[in-house]
């Protein structure tokens, strides 16, 4: 297993000491430098000023990002019995005394108990020519309940989680194209050793790229989830399509700012949040940056006393090492 697999196993444990071990393991693998790709325009230059001079950081609402599956749970099966396999005793107690002892034994001694139970209910509530239709309807109702629960979990998570995105490299050409308006923006370098806020360092997570997003409904029904970090766990997963980003995230949730639901302003659930972070250690300007934006970034950098340089297109690839 990779260290990320070990981290996730510890992080989803309900043993408090394992949670501490997960954070310790993750801290050992935090990159020394992280990079944040930023677009430039006349309208957003005031936000770049805040990032560079005041060390501000925008914590985005999931709806603001370009992946519609941000902070979502994804059902792993269309078979309802996969989700309630560990609820057998509950159902057995519920139907004890309401069906014959023989039928009860026949149903609940089988590994296929849920389908047998659905068939029995269908038989009791329908004419013979309606059995299959009723059985299908019952299964759909159960699955619909799982789908609604999954949707509610994703909606809740997206309302309360905020995060800022970083990459592990400053030479990622797709990132330059997608997030700096075609190499016209900047890339901010951050030295993670400069992060002295322990809470922020603890909440800096690697993104895990997966074939399917976590099935949080299954995790909850089977008791295999971490009760005090479930939504953060959802936010640190993305589909493998995005793996080129090599992302780390600073993840906060509503509890980072508010202690009780009564304290949360209504606009929190629909907007991002700006926090105090650290100043960047270097500014890298894109190879297509305009003259006016170059002059403004150089002016802002001089105020913050932050080194600034321009990326260069060379015969060996993108060079972001030289000082201006």
């Amino acid at each position: 297993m990779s260290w990320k697999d070990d981290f996730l196993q510890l992080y989803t444990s309900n043993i408090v000491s394992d949670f501490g071990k997960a954070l310790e393991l993750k801290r050992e693998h935090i990159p020394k430098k992280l990079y944040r790709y930023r677009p430039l325009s006349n309208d957003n230059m005031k936000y770049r000023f805040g990032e560079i001079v005041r060390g501000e950081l925008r914590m985005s609402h999931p709806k603001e990002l370009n992946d519609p599956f941000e902070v979502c749970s994804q059902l792993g099966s269309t078979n309802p019995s996969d989700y309630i396999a560990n609820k057998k005793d509950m159902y057995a107690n519920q139907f004890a005394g309401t069906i014959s002892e023989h039928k009860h034994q026949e149903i609940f001694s089988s590994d296929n108990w849920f389908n047998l139970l659905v068939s029995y209910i269908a038989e009791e509530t329908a004419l013979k020519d309606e059995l299959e239709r009723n059985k299908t309807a019952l299964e759909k109702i159960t699955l619909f309940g799982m789908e609604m629960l999954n949707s509610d979990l994703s909606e809740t998570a997206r309302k309360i989680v905020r995060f800022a995105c970083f990459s592990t490299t400053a030479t990622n050409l797709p990132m330059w194209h997608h997030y700096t308006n075609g190499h016209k923006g900047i890339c901010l370098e951050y030295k993670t050793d400069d992060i002295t806020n322990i809470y922020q360092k603890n909440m800096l997570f690697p993104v895990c790229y997966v074939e399917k997003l976590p099935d949080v409904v299954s995790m909850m029904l089977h008791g295999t989830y971490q009760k005090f970090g479930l939504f953060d766990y959802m936010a640190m997963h993305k589909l493998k399509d995005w793996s080129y980003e090599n992302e780390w995230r600073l993840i906060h949730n509503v509890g980072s700012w508010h202690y009780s639901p009564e304290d949360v302003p209504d606009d929190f659930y629909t907007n991002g949040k700006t926090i105090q972070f650290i100043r960047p250690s270097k500014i890298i300007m894109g190879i297509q940056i305009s003259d006016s934006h170059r002059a403004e970034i150089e002016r802002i950098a001089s105020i913050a006393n932050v080194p600034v340089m321009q990326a260069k297109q060379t015969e060996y690839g993108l060079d972001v090492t030289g000082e201006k």
Side-chain angles (χ1 to χ4, degrees):
M1 291 197 304
S2 69
W3 76 265
K4 287 185 181 181
D5 294 325
D6 293 336
F7 161 73
L8 289 176
Q9 186 173 353
L10 290 167
Y11 190 82
T12 53
S13 169
N14 286 314
I15 301 173
V16 175
S17 60
D18 283 350
F19 182 69
K21 291 176 184 177
L23 295 182
E24 183 178 352
L25 176 62
K26 185 257 301 176
R27 280 195 297 269
E28 293 173 359
H29 289 85
I30 294 176
K32 290 296 184 182
K33 294 179 181 179
L34 289 172
Y35 299 90
R36 188 158 162 83
Y37 293 84
R38 312 302 284 151
L40 292 181
S41 70
N42 294 335
D43 293 333
N44 69 26
M45 199 63 75
K46 61 182 178 181
Y47 301 115
R48 304 293 86 86
F49 184 95
E51 291 170 333
I52 297 167
V53 176
R54 295 190 294 268
E56 295 174 347
L57 188 69
R58 172 72 175 180
M59 304 288 284
S60 297
H61 189 293
K63 71 175 184 179
E64 298 172 354
L65 303 180
N66 55 2
D67 179 3
F69 290 97
E70 288 285 7
V71 199
C72 283
S73 169
Q74 187 175 6
L75 292 179
S77 174
T78 58
N79 186 353
S81 62
D82 290 340
Y83 291 93
I84 59 174
N86 66 332
K87 303 296 181 182
K88 182 178 180 178
D89 290 343
M90 182 189 76
Y91 278 89
N93 291 332
Q94 181 179 342
F95 282 89
T98 63
I99 61 179
S100 70
E101 185 176 343
H102 173 75
K103 179 59 70 173
H104 189 277
Q105 173 67 19
E106 177 186 337
I107 292 173
F108 291 102
S109 63
S110 172
D111 292 337
N112 195 35
W113 66 271
F114 180 74
N115 289 332
L116 292 177
L117 180 62
V118 168
S119 296
Y120 170 78
I121 295 173
E123 290 173 3
E124 293 295 308
T125 58
L127 298 174
K128 284 189 175 181
D129 59 352
E130 296 177 333
L131 282 179
E132 286 305 313
R133 186 172 62 186
N134 271 24
K135 180 180 177 182
T136 300
L138 287 168
E139 290 174 342
K140 284 184 177 179
I141 290 171
T142 305
L143 181 60
F144 179 72
M146 300 300 173
E147 292 171 345
M148 290 296 294
L149 175 58
N150 189 72
S151 177
D152 288 346
L153 282 169
S154 296
E155 182 179 357
T156 299
R158 290 166 66 84
K159 281 183 177 180
I160 71 172
V161 170
R162 302 291 178 271
F163 49 87
C165 307
F166 303 86
S167 182
T168 58
T169 176
T171 57
N172 189 319
L173 292 179
M175 296 288 284
W176 274 107
H177 179 75
H178 295 148
Y179 297 108
T180 71
N181 46 308
H183 297 265
K184 298 181 180 71
I186 58 176
C187 179
L188 302 177
E189 175 191 275
Y190 292 91
K191 292 181 178 178
T192 56
D193 285 343
D194 292 343
I195 305 174
T196 57
N197 185 314
I198 299 302
Y199 178 73
Q200 289 184 352
K201 206 148 195 176
N202 282 341
M203 300 308 292
L204 190 61
F205 295 101
V207 169
C208 301
Y209 298 100
V210 291
E211 296 289 350
K212 291 183 70 69
L213 296 173
D215 185 344
V216 179
V217 172
S218 178
M219 292 173 66
M220 294 184 70
L221 292 177
H222 291 87
T224 58
Y225 71 102
Q226 200 261 63
K227 294 180 174 62
F228 42 90
L230 180 63
F231 295 144
D232 298 336
Y233 176 83
M234 293 170 65
M236 65 179 80
H237 283 83
K238 284 177 71 71
L239 293 169
K240 281 190 173 179
D241 307 65
W242 301 92
S243 61
Y244 72 90
E245 294 184 341
N246 295 312
E247 188 178 344
W248 280 68
R249 289 181 164 179
L250 179 66
I251 302 174
H252 286 2
N253 58 53
V254 65
S256 302
W257 297 288
H258 305 286
Y259 292 107
S260 67
E262 293 77 18
D263 298 331
V264 184
D266 290 340
D267 63 353
F268 174 86
Y269 296 110
T270 56
N271 295 304
K273 186 89 171 175
T274 298
I275 67 169
Q276 190 65 38
F277 190 52
I278 59 173
R279 284 182 177 179
S281 53
K282 184 166 71 174
I283 304 167
I284 305 167
M285 298 182 293
I287 58 178
Q288 300 291 344
I289 191 170
S290 69
D291 291 340
S292 61
H293 287 163
R294 180 208 308 275
E296 181 62 9
I297 289 298
E298 289 177 339
R299 183 188 74 83
I300 294 172
S302 67
I303 296 173
N305 196 28
V306 175
V308 59
M309 60 157 294
Q310 183 168 10
K312 296 179 181 178
Q313 182 180 359
T314 76
E315 286 74 19
Y316 305 99
L318 190 66
D319 178 11
V320 296
T321 60
E323 294 292 337
K324 182 178 178 296

